[in-house]
Structure formats: structure tokens, C-alpha cells
Amino acid sequence: MNTKDFAEGVRLGVGPGAAAFVLALSFGAEAEARGWGFGLPVLFSALAFSGSAQFTLLTALAGGSALAAITSAVLINARYLVMSVALNDSLEGGRLRRAVQALALADASFVAAHRDDGRYDAARLIGASVPQWIFWVSGTAIGALTSPSPELMHTLGLDVAFPAFFLILALDELRRSRRAFAAALLGAAIAALLLLVTSPSYALLGATAAALIGVLPEKEETA
């Protein structure tokens, strides 16, 4: 593994990690309030490391069966199927090594690892995920211990930190790729139409279909 690329990934992962810490505070507090205690949400964060899946499961369990909760969590993370296909050719080594590298796949890390040639840097991917995982697990633990109220999070403006960082990541990617820009427009259109007939979670899932634009060849710009 290239240590320079790994260190660069760590640097790029600190910002999203700090935003993830804020979201993890909310998850830990909400899980504790719903009777999960301290150890279970922390263990869940350490093993799952997925804010969307964890919040979906937490919410669905409160209002439905375990099967419905698990199904919802799986559906909301279906985007990783598309992301893993894009990442596959950039991983090195045998099946076990590639599988271990793929465990570092996270939204912000996926963006941070993207190279100008369209491939992905595995060392940078792993490096970016390390601080995010640390912030996510520690944030969950502190949230479960202190249980900050949603009103306090809103008053401090911490509830918008996580989406703000994702917006910054998206804007950087949109500037670099025409396909990314087209996919963003198509995804927004799909989500807007689906919101008229279904819930936000399914609208978000349907919008991921726009990522299939990534399989189309991108024309090289001429000087």
C-alpha cells in the first residue's frame, strides 16, 4: 500500500469524519432513548459503519417488524452495489485482500479515492475511511452517554453539518465530470417525480438509477 496515498486519504477523511461525528451523536442519543442502552449502538456503529442503514433500521424497528426494518436498511444501501462495481477494477490482490479493501467503501471515501483517470485509489480509499470510522464510533458512544436533545443540536446548527459536507463533496465531483453532472440532474428529476407517489426513502433509492450513466463512455475533451 502506498503510504503517501494512504496519508492523503486520512487527510481527506478528517472533514467528513467530523461531520459524521455530529450525526453519530444523534444516532447514539436516539438509540439510547429507544432502549438500546450503550453497548449495542456502539457495537452496531463499529460493525455496520453506515449512517443511512443504521438510522433506517432504528426508525423501522420502532414502527414495524424486524424483517421490514432489515429490508429497509438493505434497500437504502443498495447504492453500494453500483459503487462496488465502479471500484472493482481498481482493487489489487486476491479475493480475500480485495474483499478486505472493499470493507472501507463509504460515500465520502469513494469520492476521495476517485482519480482523474476514472479509476480509484485503494490506499486513499482506506485512509479516508479510518478517521471517519473513528469519529463515527466515538460519536455514537458519546451520544449514547450524554443523550443531547434534538433541540440543542438544532440550536447549535449541528443538524446541517453532515448534509453540508456531502454537498461540498458532490460539488467537487460535479466540477470534474460531465457524467457526474448529468447523473445528478437525472437523479434529482427521478427523486422529484417519485416523491409525488412514494416515500422519501424509496424516492432516494429510485434516484440511484441515475448512477448507471457511469457505465457510458465519457468523451475526452479536446484542446
Side-chain angles (χ1 to χ4, degrees):
M1 180 184 295
N2 188 310
T3 55
K4 182 179 179 180
D5 290 336
F6 177 83
E8 175 66 9
V10 172
R11 185 187 69 81
L12 293 173
V14 170
F21 178 82
V22 175
L23 187 64
L25 287 175
S26 298
F27 173 75
E30 184 66 20
E32 197 281 332
R34 297 194 181 189
W36 286 36
F38 172 77
L40 184 57
V42 174
L43 181 63
F44 191 17
S45 285
L47 297 179
F49 184 36
S50 174
S52 55
Q54 290 178 229
F55 272 104
T56 299
L57 189 63
L58 181 65
T59 303
L61 279 175
S65 66
L67 178 60
I70 294 173
T71 301
S72 299
V74 171
L75 287 174
I76 203 66
N77 268 6
R79 67 189 186 280
Y80 286 115
L81 292 176
V82 178
M83 294 164 64
S84 62
V85 171
L87 181 66
N88 182 60
D89 291 339
S90 300
L91 301 179
E92 300 177 351
R95 291 183 178 179
L96 179 59
R97 181 180 177 184
R98 293 163 68 88
V100 172
Q101 293 175 59
L103 291 176
L105 182 58
D107 295 306
S109 302
F110 184 74
V111 175
H114 190 211
R115 302 189 321 206
D116 292 335
D117 61 1
R119 292 174 62 83
Y120 295 84
D121 192 303
R124 198 187 304 169
L125 176 83
I126 297 172
S129 292
V130 169
Q132 292 181 76
W133 183 86
I134 294 174
F135 276 117
W136 180 251
V137 176
S138 61
T140 301
I142 295 174
L145 282 174
T146 62
S147 299
S149 67
E151 292 77 13
L152 176 62
M153 301 283 284
H154 178 72
T155 300
L156 297 177
L158 298 179
D159 54 341
V160 300
F162 197 71
F165 267 101
F166 268 103
L167 177 60
I168 293 173
L169 289 173
L171 290 176
D172 181 64
E173 187 69 12
L174 295 180
R175 285 196 297 265
R176 294 195 297 171
S177 171
R178 292 179 179 177
R179 285 186 301 179
F181 186 76
L185 289 179
L186 179 59
I190 293 173
L193 291 174
L194 289 178
L195 281 174
L196 299 176
V197 296
T198 187
S199 64
S201 59
Y202 288 107
L204 176 62
L205 180 61
T208 61
L212 293 175
I213 289 180
V215 303
L216 301 176
E218 187 167 23
K219 294 181 180 180
E220 296 183 2
E221 295 183 359
T222 57

